[in-house]
Amino acid sequence: MIRGTLIKTTLVNYPGKVAAAYFMSGCNLYCPYCYNTELVENTLPDKDAVTPTDVLEHLKKRKNVLGGIVLSGGEPLIHPELADFISEIKKYSICVKIDTNGMLPGQLKALFNKKETSPDFVALDIKTAPKRYYELTRDKKYARVYEKNIQESIQFVSGLPANKREFRTVLVPPLVTEAEIKTIGALLPKDASWQFAEFRAENCIDHTYNSIDPYSSEHINQLVANAKKSIKNAELR
């Protein structure tokens, strides 16, 4: 059963829309810098957990105000009930944005097989260069599969209309350097919206990352400038 946390109203999670945001428990990656430990480990206390039924009740009450909802995580695509959930949401004429880590390209593509389950917007997180995804896995034997999956997801999301997709990268010093920026930039469509976020060295799942110094503002500006050489719509969010 899906469990998660709900932000009832947000102006920043869905581009151009007043939205709600539902963060679902469970993830198929184990990014060392992630600070959503309770979501990743699926240890959210029952008293704090919000169910899809709760979310739908909120949308019903706020459908005249909300233009969209963000389904995020964790990783929303790990939940087999996701398609039915989206279908129920769309009955309120509310747009659906999916935030995904790209590890389940088959499940993402399947959502687009039916109008009633098709996301209206997809944000694909690209953590680092594909060949380094072994650093984000719990079980290293799946490393080559994850490398293939992120490449397949990039290709699929790139084929969506430009106003219905974006790509996102957190500037984590050990994982994203000038070399990774160049590699990722070469994989994205030229009209991509590539959104960067600063790394926060706090409450990281891998506690050693709490002692890593984030990039300076000057270094961040240089990395984004490098990204703009291949993707003009690259920017720091």
Side-chain angles (χ1 to χ4, degrees), residues 71 76-77 82 86 96-100 108 111 119 121-124:
L71 303 181
L77 289 170
L82 183 64
I86 293 174
V96 175
K97 172 177 176 273
I98 294 286
D99 292 349
T100 179
L108 178 61
L111 292 177
F121 196 100
V122 176
L124 177 61

Side-chain angles (χ1 to χ4, degrees), residues 102-148:
M103 293 298 96
L104 296 170
Q107 284 85 331
L108 178 61
K109 293 176 184 179
L111 292 177
F112 287 87
N113 290 338
K114 297 179 180 179
K115 181 179 179 180
E116 61 266 29
T117 63
S118 294
D120 301 282
F121 196 100
V122 176
L124 177 61
D125 289 322
I126 305 177
K127 314 290 187 179
T128 184
K131 68 179 181 180
R132 296 190 62 187
Y133 264 67
Y134 70 91
E135 298 176 60
L136 313 175
T137 65
R138 301 180 195 230
D139 192 333
K140 303 305 180 187
K141 71 181 180 182
Y142 294 115
R144 295 301 295 272
V145 174
Y146 288 173
E147 179 179 348
K148 171 181 173 294

Side-chain angles (χ1 to χ4, degrees), residues 88-107:
E88 290 299 313
I89 291 171
K90 284 181 171 281
K91 291 179 181 179
Y92 297 117
S93 299
I94 290 176
C95 294
V96 175
K97 172 177 176 273
I98 294 286
D99 292 349
T100 179
N101 62 26
M103 293 298 96
L104 296 170
Q107 284 85 331

Side-chain angles (χ1 to χ4, degrees), residues 84-230:
D84 289 338
F85 186 31
I86 293 174
S87 180
E88 290 299 313
I89 291 171
K90 284 181 171 281
K91 291 179 181 179
Y92 297 117
S93 299
I94 290 176
C95 294
V96 175
K97 172 177 176 273
I98 294 286
D99 292 349
T100 179
N101 62 26
M103 293 298 96
L104 296 170
Q107 284 85 331
L108 178 61
K109 293 176 184 179
L111 292 177
F112 287 87
N113 290 338
K114 297 179 180 179
K115 181 179 179 180
E116 61 266 29
T117 63
S118 294
D120 301 282
F121 196 100
V122 176
L124 177 61
D125 289 322
I126 305 177
K127 314 290 187 179
T128 184
K131 68 179 181 180
R132 296 190 62 187
Y133 264 67
Y134 70 91
E135 298 176 60
L136 313 175
T137 65
R138 301 180 195 230
D139 192 333
K140 303 305 180 187
K141 71 181 180 182
Y142 294 115
R144 295 301 295 272
V145 174
Y146 288 173
E147 179 179 348
K148 171 181 173 294
N149 286 355
I150 189 61
Q151 292 173 321
E152 186 177 341
S153 290
I154 291 172
Q155 184 177 23
F156 177 74
V157 175
S158 296
L160 299 175
N163 64 345
K164 295 184 178 295
R165 55 160 158 81
E166 72 177 18
F167 303 88
R168 310 186 306 191
T169 300
V170 180
L171 294 171
V172 186
L175 294 171
V176 182
T177 68
E178 286 81 357
E180 283 71 40
I181 293 290
K182 184 176 181 180
T183 297
I184 297 168
L187 297 174
L188 302 183
K190 295 301 181 183
D191 64 351
S193 171
W194 192 6
Q195 303 294 315
F196 291 95
E198 297 183 48
F199 163 63
R200 298 191 304 180
E202 55 186 48
N203 300 319
C204 297
I205 286 181
D206 182 341
H207 293 170
T208 63
Y209 272 63
N210 292 330
S211 60
I212 291 173
D213 291 328
Y215 285 127
S216 66
S217 295
E218 181 180 2
H219 198 163
I220 287 173
N221 290 337
Q222 185 58 56
L223 288 170
V224 176
N226 288 343
K228 282 182 174 291
K229 293 177 182 178
S230 55

